[in-house]
Amino acid sequence: CCLQSLCCTSRSLELAQDEAILTTKQSITGTVVTSRVPYANIQSVDSKNVCGCLALLEAGELTKPPGQAEGQPMQPGCGCDAGLVERIRADLQARVDVRGNMGQIKQLEKMMTKFGDFAAELPLILDKVGADTSYPPSQQTMNAVYGAQGPEISPPSEMPHEMPSQNFPTRSFNVRNECQNLCGFIGTCGIAGCLKHEIVLEPEQVVTTFQNNCATSIDRKPYAQLRAVDEEIVCC
């Protein structure tokens, strides 16, 4: 942004094959700080609009390294180029979806499906070669393989989990706090307008939107990054 230019500071972002590289250069002191963050470590990529015109981008550990109390969002140009911020967000989000946690989960689901198909064909293969296809194997089979002192196999207490994942429909909820909305409207003499606070449950992530006439914040977080979902009741 302009403030960084006045301080002779430049920031450049490179989207490599497996990681994002953010380089910060300070011309006066000659300091160069390079941050390399794998796409799997970027929890979410969010664009925000502040004061009606300022556009900034937050990208998990890329803009807020672990241990830092406050992050340093990216504000390219004069800080008001919302179109450029959205293009960067879309490109980075696409890489995070493919190479990040959600992409890895999808790959694991494909592997589980292939393993299930192989497990269904395995008894047919064993039957053709005359092998014992029962599971768990009988004690006679265990003794024939391991001898009289072979281990004892007890049947499983419950059926194995056969549904590794489930496709959920997209659902949206209006979670606006009316008291907060009223206070914001009166406190700004109606300039901020009504608050929009919405949660959209997508198949792979939850999207939280805060929006009024002065600011917009969209937070995207994969379900794998949600530590817990808790309910609290206060006063009543």
Side-chain angles (χ1 to χ4, degrees), residues 107-152:
Q107 291 293 332
L108 289 175
E109 290 178 349
K110 291 181 180 179
M111 292 174 60
M112 290 294 295
T113 301
K114 292 181 179 179
F115 180 79
D117 296 339
F118 175 75
E121 297 177 358
L122 184 59
L124 300 176
I125 299 174
L126 294 177
D127 184 64
K128 287 185 178 181
V129 299
D132 186 5
T133 61
S134 61
Y135 182 83
S138 63
Q139 193 60 45
Q140 291 80 3
T141 303
M142 295 296 296
N143 293 339
V145 175
Y146 296 101
Q149 302 298 326
E152 296 184 359

Side-chain angles (χ1 to χ4, degrees), residues 174-176 181 193-198 209-212 217:
N174 179 13
V175 293
R176 181 178 67 184
N181 177 47
C194 293
L195 173 68
K196 176 184 178 182
H197 186 189
E198 183 183 45
T209 302
F210 285 94
Q211 184 177 14
N212 57 23
S217 174

Side-chain angles (χ1 to χ4, degrees), residues 19-93:
E19 61 183 2
I21 305 172
L22 181 62
T23 304
T24 304
K25 297 181 180 180
Q26 224 292 332
S27 300
I28 297 177
T29 61
T31 304
V32 178
V33 179
T34 302
S35 176
R36 297 175 177 268
V37 180
Y39 295 122
N41 290 358
I42 299 178
Q43 295 88 351
S44 61
V45 184
D46 309 311
S47 58
K48 296 185 178 181
N49 182 277
V50 183
C51 298
C53 63
L54 296 179
L56 53 90
L57 180 70
E58 295 181 348
E61 291 186 10
L62 188 63
T63 55
K64 186 180 179 181
Q68 289 190 4
E70 297 183 359
Q72 296 181 346
M74 287 179 278
Q75 293 180 270
C78 296
C80 300
D81 195 343
L84 178 58
V85 169
E86 178 58 27
R87 290 196 297 272
I88 296 174
R89 188 208 66 80
D91 196 347
L92 182 55
Q93 183 67 58

Side-chain angles (χ1 to χ4, degrees), residues 154-200:
S154 57
S157 58
E158 59 182 12
M159 293 296 293
H161 184 53
E162 296 182 355
M163 187 175 64
S165 64
Q166 181 178 351
N167 293 325
F168 292 94
T170 299
R171 300 185 63 183
S172 61
F173 298 91
N174 179 13
V175 293
R176 181 178 67 184
N177 185 297
E178 297 300 339
C179 294
Q180 181 183 9
N181 177 47
L182 182 61
C183 291
F185 186 86
I186 297 176
T188 60
C189 299
I191 297 177
C194 293
L195 173 68
K196 176 184 178 182
H197 186 189
E198 183 183 45
I199 289 181
V200 179

Side-chain angles (χ1 to χ4, degrees), residues 14-21 36 39 95:
E14 178 184 354
L15 302 181
Q17 182 69 19
D18 297 310
E19 61 183 2
I21 305 172
R36 297 175 177 268
Y39 295 122
R95 295 168 185 265

